[in-house]
Amino acid sequence: MTDAPAACPEPSDRPDIWPGGATRGTDGALAIGPIRLTHEALGDALGAPLAAGPVIVADRASIRGRAEVWQSAMAEAFWSGYGMAGAQVYYAGKAFLAAELVRDLTSVGLGIDTASLGELTLALRAGADPALVGLHGNAKTDAEIDLALRSGIGRLIIDSIPEIERIAARARELGVCAPLMVRVTTGVHAGGHSFIATAHEDQKFGLSLATGAAREAAERIAATEGVALVGLHSHIGSQIMDLAGFGAAARAVLGLRAELLRKGIEVPEVDLGGGYGVAYTGADAVAPTQKQVADFLAETVREVCTELATDIPRISIEPGRSVIAPAVLTLYRVMATKDVVTQEGTTRRYVAVDGGMSDNIRPVLYDAAYAVALANRAPSGDLISSRVVGKHCESGDILVREALLPADVGPGDELAIPVTGAYGRSMASNYNMAARPGVLALDGEAAHWWLRPETVDDVLSLDAGL
Ligand code: LLP
C-alpha cells in the first residue's frame, strides 16, 4: 500500500475506477446517471428513506455492460471460424452474488461459478441454467455434492484425489454421471497479496502438476464409473495485472492435456480461471481490457496447441472481480473528524464514517488501497492529508490509510469509496453486531434493492436467548 496521499481521481479523469454511469454533476455532487449519490437522493429514487449506515450502490447497466464485453471478447477470440472450439465465461460468484445479478449475467450468456452450498443454491434458485453452473471447493460437503449432482450442474472441480471416489459413489447411487474437472496447481505464482495467489505449490488448492498428482487425478477419473473428465482447470491468483502468468499457466495445463490425449484420455475443456485485476486508485495502472485478455489467451492457446500438435480445447474463464468491482461503490456518511499528532510530529485528520471493516475488510486483510471522494458536493478549498476510518472497536479499522480530502469535510458530508463491488459485501461481517449494508441497484431513474440492508433485528434474530 502506498502512503503517499492522493486526491481521488474524478470519474472524468479515471473512468476505469468508477461505475460507467458516474459523473460529477453541475451541482457538484457525484451521480450515477440522473441519480445523485447522497443517502437522501438515493432514498428518493428508492421511494423510501435509507436507514442509518453505509449503502453499497451498484450501477446495473455498468455491470451488464462489463459482462457483455467479457462475453463478446471471449466469443470473438475463440470463434470456431478461427479454428477454435469456443469459449464460456463463468462469473465467480464469491466476488458478490444476488439473484437479480445472476439473472442479469446469465441473460447475456455468462455461467455462474460457485464455491459453497449457499452460492450454489442461490445460483440455481435465481434460475441459472445448471449446465452453466460450476462448483469449486477444497472441502466439499455431502450437501454440496448432492445438490450439484441432483441439479445436474455442468462441472464439479476436483481439488483432491479422495474426492473423486466420494463423488463417484454418490453419483452411482443417484444413477447420474458426475462431470469433473481437475484443478491443477501449475506452480505459477501471481496475485496482489500472498493470501490471494493460489497456484504456488505450498498452499491448500489444487493438485500438483510437478508431483504428478494432477495427472493421477485425471487418469483416475477416466477409469472410474460414475464420473467423466470434462476438463482441466487452473486458477493462479487474484488481482493480477500482468497477463504473463496466465500464459505460463495455460502452457502448463495444455501440456498436461497433451500428455493425457496421448494416453487416449479426452479433455474437451480447459478453464483458465479468474484473477483479472482492476485499478482501485489513481496510483494503479489501467488494467488490461477484456479484449486484450481474451486476445492474449487465444493467441497463447493457439500457439501452445500448435507446438504440442493437439486440437484446441474449449476454453472457459472465471472472472469475478473484473466483472463487478468498478461498477459498484460504497457511500458512507461522515460521523466525526479529529486532528491527531502523528509520531513524526505532523497532524493527521481522522475522518470517521458510519461503516468500516464490517463492510470492507480488504484494507485490513490485504493492505488494499482505495480512493475516496467527497460525494455530496464539489470538493473545494484546501485538501489535507486524511485517514478514513470506520466505526468499529479496533484501531486497525481503517478504510483509506492516506487520502487527500477537503479540509472542511465534516458531519453532514458523504464519502464515496469506488471499486467496492468485489469481495466487499461478500466478505462483510456482523462485527460489533453491525447490520450489514444493503446493495442498491441503480437502473436509469429507478433504484431497487438487490440485497436489502440488514436490520439490528435481523442480526439479533439468531440469538436463541432473546
Ligand atoms: N476462480 C477461482 C477458482 C477462484 O478461487 C477465484 C477467486 C476466482 C475464480 C475469481 O477470482 P477474481 O477474478 O475475482 O480475482 N478476497 C480476495 C480475493 C480472493 C479470490 C478467491 N478466489 C480479495 O478481496 O482480493
Side-chain angles (χ1 to χ4, degrees):
M1 176 186 280
T2 166
D3 263 9
C8 182
E10 292 289 312
S12 53
D13 298 331
R14 281 295 296 265
D16 60 317
I17 67 163
W18 290 97
T23 55
R24 192 168 289 274
T26 44
D27 70 342
L30 287 173
I32 291 182
I35 303 179
R36 297 168 75 245
L37 291 179
T38 67
H39 280 69
E40 191 182 356
L42 291 169
D44 289 346
L46 180 67
L50 298 187
V55 57
I56 299 170
V57 181
D59 180 345
R60 193 172 174 196
S62 181
I63 295 169
R64 247 193 251 140
R66 297 183 73 81
E68 270 165 358
V69 172
W70 262 124
Q71 182 70 5
S72 58
M74 288 297 286
E76 163 73 12
F78 288 90
W79 180 50
S80 58
Y82 300 151
M84 299 291 203
Q88 179 62 46
V89 180
Y90 290 81
Y91 169 67
K94 66 202 79 186
F96 172 70
L97 267 189
E100 282 204 47
L101 172 65
V102 168
R103 290 193 275 269
D104 276 358
L105 298 179
T106 54
S107 73
V108 300
L110 268 59
I112 306 290
D113 160 47
T114 69
S116 70
L117 187 62
E119 290 176 12
L120 178 58
T121 306
L122 177 80
L124 294 169
R125 283 201 201 159
D129 174 2
L132 287 182
V133 172
L135 175 67
H136 273 279
N138 67 315
K140 296 184 190 73
T141 63
D142 291 347
E144 288 164 348
I145 292 170
D146 251 50
L147 179 60
L149 296 181
R150 285 178 190 278
S151 54
I153 68 169
R155 50 200 339 218
L156 289 85
I157 297 93
I158 291 300
D159 198 86
S160 66
I161 302 239
E163 198 183 0
I164 298 169
E165 187 44 42
R166 228 178 112 216
I167 295 176
R170 190 64 186 130
R172 290 192 297 264
E173 272 167 30
L174 293 171
V176 298
C177 180
L180 303 187
M181 277 191 157
V182 175
R183 180 155 174 182
V184 182
T185 313
T186 56
V188 178
H189 180 120
H193 187 280
S194 66
F195 292 173
I196 55 179
T198 55
H200 53 292
E201 295 283 339
D202 189 8
Q203 47 85 20
K204 69 175 186 166
F205 291 115
L207 287 152
S208 168
L209 190 61
T211 66
R215 190 182 56 242
E216 185 191 336
E219 287 171 354
R220 283 222 198 174
I221 293 169
T224 301
E225 201 188 320
V227 294
L229 183 66
V230 296
L232 297 175
H233 186 288
S234 152
H235 174 77
I236 59 171
S238 200
Q239 185 52 14
I240 301 165
M241 293 294 228
D242 180 355
L243 298 181
F246 297 105
R251 182 169 286 278
V253 177
L254 290 167
L256 172 59
R257 176 175 181 266
E259 228 181 285
L260 293 167
L261 292 180
R262 282 197 295 275
K263 294 183 173 174
I265 299 174
E266 289 298 318
V267 185
E269 186 162 338
V270 167
D271 191 308
L272 297 172
Y276 309 100
V278 301
Y280 279 86
T281 74
D284 292 335
V286 175
T289 63
Q290 292 101 322
K291 181 167 165 42
Q292 284 168 335
V293 173
D295 289 348
F296 172 83
L297 295 180
E299 261 169 51
T300 308
V301 167
R302 181 195 302 282
E303 187 183 297
V304 175
C305 289
T306 305
E307 280 170 31
L308 294 167
T310 66
D311 63 336
I312 295 179
R314 188 171 166 76
I315 296 292
S316 44
I317 57 166
E318 291 171 347
R321 188 189 317 263
S322 75
V323 174
I324 196 161
V328 176
L329 54 81
T330 307
L331 191 66
Y332 299 90
R333 290 186 178 100
V334 175
M335 294 286 122
T337 61
K338 68 174 73 154
D339 291 333
V340 303
V341 179
T342 66
Q343 278 170 354
E344 295 80 42
T346 56
T347 302
R348 191 196 303 280
R349 167 73 48 88
Y350 275 73
V351 179
V353 297
D354 53 353
M357 64 193 286
S358 58
D359 59 81
N360 189 358
I361 191 70
R362 298 191 72 259
V364 179
L365 196 55
Y366 312 121
D367 241 5
Y370 284 83
V372 56
L374 183 59
N376 56 303
R377 61 188 172 90
S380 60
D382 290 344
L383 296 176
I384 59 167
S385 167
S386 306
R387 177 166 288 179
V388 179
V389 296
K391 73 192 300 300
H392 294 281
C393 303
E394 302 238 359
S395 52
D397 175 24
I398 295 169
L399 284 167
V400 183
R401 188 170 289 274
E402 274 296 349
L404 281 181
L405 285 172
D408 63 355
V409 163
D413 281 322
E414 303 190 33
L415 300 179
I417 295 191
V419 203
T420 56
Y423 309 108
R425 181 61 179 78
S426 74
M427 292 175 77
S429 78
N430 293 115
Y431 184 39
N432 290 137
M433 293 204 175
R436 292 172 299 174
V439 178
L440 189 67
L442 304 193
D443 203 353
E445 293 186 357
H448 65 279
W449 293 117
W450 266 356
L451 212 54
R452 72 169 171 79
E454 257 177 352
T455 62
V456 169
D457 281 342
D458 288 326
V459 179
L460 299 187
S461 68
L462 297 177
D463 190 319
L466 280 181

